[in-house]
């Protein structure tokens, strides 16, 4: 698979990465044993960028990723995140960052973390202190690169002034375009961009189910885009995207990922799937070339993204 560089001095990774969250958070139950084969398939297909976080099962997802990549750890870039308490409050106090990093190293079973992200900006801790702590961890050899997630332009600039930020991770997809306003700042500073939920949490795949048919533990049951009114309009938009994809001999998820890749060489989406065959489908997007007309048609189908907010109010991040 083609490679892309994230950040001026950041890592080179496969153009399509992999997000492991779905095994321990958000989308219902999962089979870890089958999951090991899914990750192996991703690697065999050329994926070299794997994303996890403390929050995804409080260590369970990191342990799972550590087991999954054991045979090829040195060939891949592992990214994890700190910054939450078990009650989902922000906590980026330096001592907490250090504690979480030590846990992550142990759970992943590695001697260094390739990318350490702050998961959410903590309004109670100056970003300079956060960046300074990560700078120290880099100097100690425990971390290679620094990342931010859902941060605003001022935070990005302040953090970057203390410790080079290699990449920003924020939601971005055909359904969710707001983050495009930050691209000029990222490009000015030489920071790469990692779109999360690049398939709109599974909506941009043609396999979407109405909220009532999802498992009780599936967080999408409460997502605005799954609520009556929005849901039907989003289904209709995906139907039109599927028509366009079919004309190109592609699937709608491949179209959605290729659309992201076409927004810049500094962009590496991290779609998540628990199923090996879906990972293979998603990886196929790296070979799908979209024309100017395809991009225009996509914009015509969804001029401003999906219908409904991306998160229910209680989870909506604010860019500080
Ligand atoms: N920084 C943050 O705050 C943040 C927030 C959210 C996510 N993330 C990261 O971003 C990664 C990806 O985001 P995401 O998992 O929220 O959303 P996503 O990648 O947009 O979509 C994942 C969903 O799509 C389904 N899916 C994937 N490929 C498919 C295909 N080809 N056909 C049909 N269904 C398919 C998956 O179901 P199956 O598993 O059943 O295939 C899963 O339910 C996460 O794993 C996590 O690492 C970061």
């Amino acid at each position: 698979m083609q490679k892309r560089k994230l950040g001026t001095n950041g890592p080179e990774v496969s153009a399509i990465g992999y997000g492991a969250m779905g095994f321990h958070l958000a989308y219902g139950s999962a089979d870890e044993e089958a999951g090991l084969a899914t990750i192996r398939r991703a690697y065999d297909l050329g994926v070299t960028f794997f994303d996890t976080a403390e929050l995804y099962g409080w260590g369970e997802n990191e342990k799972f990723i550590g087991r999954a990549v054991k045979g090829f750890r040195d060939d891949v870039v592992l990214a994890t995140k700190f910054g939450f308490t078990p009650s989902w409050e922000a906590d980026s106090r330096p001592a907490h960052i250090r504690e979480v990093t030590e846990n992550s190293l142990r759970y992943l079973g590695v001697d260094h973390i390739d990318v350490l992200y702050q998961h959410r900006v903590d309004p109670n801790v100056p970003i300079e202190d956060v960046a300074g702590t990560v700078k120290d961890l880099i100097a100690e050899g425990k971390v290679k690169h620094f990342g931010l997630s859902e941060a605003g332009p001022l935070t990005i600039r302040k953090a970057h002034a203390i410790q080079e930020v290699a990449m920003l991770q924020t939601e971005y997809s055909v359904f969710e375009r707001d983050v495009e306003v930050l691209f000029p700042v990222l490009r000015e500073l030489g920071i790469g961009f990692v779109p999360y939920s690049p398939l709109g949490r599974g909506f941009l795949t043609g396999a979407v189910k109405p909220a009532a048919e999802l498992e009780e533990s599936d967080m999408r049951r409460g997502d605005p885009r799954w609520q009556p009114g929005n849901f039907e309009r989003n289904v209709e938009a995906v139907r039109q995207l599927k028509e366009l994809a079919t004309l190109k001999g592609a699937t709608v998820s491949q179209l959605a990922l290729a659309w992201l890749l076409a927004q810049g060489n500094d962009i590496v989406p991290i779609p998540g799937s628990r199923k090996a065959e879906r990972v293979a489908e998603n990886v196929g997007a790296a070979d799908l070339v979209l024309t100017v007309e395809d991009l225009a048609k996509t914009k015509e189908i969804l001029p401003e993204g999906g219908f409904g907010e991306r998160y229910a109010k209680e989870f909506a991040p604010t860019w500080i």
Side-chain angles (χ1 to χ4, degrees):
M1 196 186 336
Q2 46 166 293
K3 296 264 173 92
R4 290 185 169 199
K5 196 163 164 57
L6 285 168
T8 308
N9 297 300
E12 195 183 61
V13 298
S14 53
I16 304 274
Y18 179 85
M21 180 184 76
F23 282 96
H24 296 96
L25 186 72
Y27 303 139
S29 52
D31 176 349
E32 268 199 26
E33 289 311 310
L36 295 176
T38 300
I39 307 276
R40 175 75 217 190
R41 185 80 189 277
Y43 173 69
D44 288 343
L45 289 163
V47 175
T48 62
F49 188 34
F50 292 88
D51 189 81
T52 177
E54 180 204 31
L55 181 74
Y56 309 159
W58 302 104
E60 291 310 310
N61 198 253
E62 289 174 316
K63 285 182 204 161
F64 164 67
I65 282 292
R67 271 174 76 200
V69 306
K70 209 173 170 58
F72 49 85
R73 188 272 172 268
D74 291 343
D75 302 342
V76 299
V77 172
L78 295 181
T80 191
K81 317 182 192 79
F82 65 83
F84 277 108
T85 67
S87 51
W88 290 51
E89 305 293 326
D91 186 352
S92 283
R93 288 172 301 156
H96 185 68
I97 297 175
R98 282 197 164 271
E99 183 190 336
V100 175
T101 303
E102 292 301 334
N103 287 341
S104 294
L105 287 165
R106 202 172 61 253
Y107 295 150
L108 286 163
V110 297
D111 63 5
H112 70 271
I113 291 160
D114 299 301
V115 183
L116 184 65
Y117 291 99
Q118 182 190 39
H119 210 152
R120 288 288 180 275
V121 177
D122 183 343
N124 300 314
V125 179
I127 193 66
E128 290 84 351
D129 294 355
V130 175
T133 306
V134 177
K135 189 183 180 84
D136 292 345
L137 289 165
I138 291 173
E140 290 161 30
K142 294 179 176 174
V143 171
K144 295 274 183 227
H145 304 285
F146 181 30
L148 295 171
S149 174
E150 296 280 0
L154 193 57
T155 299
I156 295 169
R157 283 186 189 283
K158 285 182 183 172
H160 194 71
I162 304 286
Q163 167 58 48
E164 185 169 348
V165 176
M167 61 199 80
L168 174 74
Q169 181 178 134
T170 291
E171 183 166 354
Y172 186 37
S173 70
V174 174
F175 263 13
E176 184 51 54
R177 319 264 178 81
D178 288 358
V179 74
E180 287 174 353
V181 299
L182 297 183
F183 288 178
V185 176
L186 299 182
R187 285 171 181 159
E188 176 199 324
L189 301 176
I191 297 173
F193 184 67
V194 177
Y196 79 68
S197 301
L199 297 171
R201 303 187 173 80
F203 217 126
L204 290 159
T205 63
V208 68
K209 288 184 191 162
E213 289 176 29
L214 297 171
E215 284 180 46
E216 282 297 326
S217 60
D218 195 315
M219 291 169 85
R220 293 171 293 192
R221 288 171 72 96
D223 275 9
R225 289 184 179 148
W226 267 258
Q227 303 314 308
N230 292 333
F231 183 78
E232 296 75 9
R233 295 176 84 189
N234 288 324
V235 166
E236 170 53 21
V238 173
R239 188 193 63 74
Q240 292 179 42
L241 291 173
K242 194 172 174 184
E243 266 180 21
L244 174 61
T246 305
L247 288 175
K248 314 242 352 142
T251 66
V252 71
S253 59
Q254 289 172 335
L255 175 78
L257 294 170
W259 182 87
L260 287 169
L261 294 176
Q263 308 307 311
N265 283 330
D266 48 359
I267 293 178
V268 176
I270 46 166
S273 173
R274 292 159 290 191
K275 301 184 177 72
E277 68 279 8
R278 289 179 171 180
V279 169
E281 178 187 339
N282 297 343
V283 163
D287 297 320
L288 177 62
V289 178
L290 299 182
T291 62
V292 173
E293 291 77 26
D294 298 331
L295 296 171
K297 180 70 188 164
T298 305
K299 194 153 190 194
E300 194 187 307
I301 294 169
L302 278 168
E304 284 162 24
F307 299 96
E309 296 299 317
R310 64 188 174 118
Y311 274 113
K313 263 202 186 80
E314 64 270 31
F315 300 117
T318 339
W319 293 342
I320 303 171

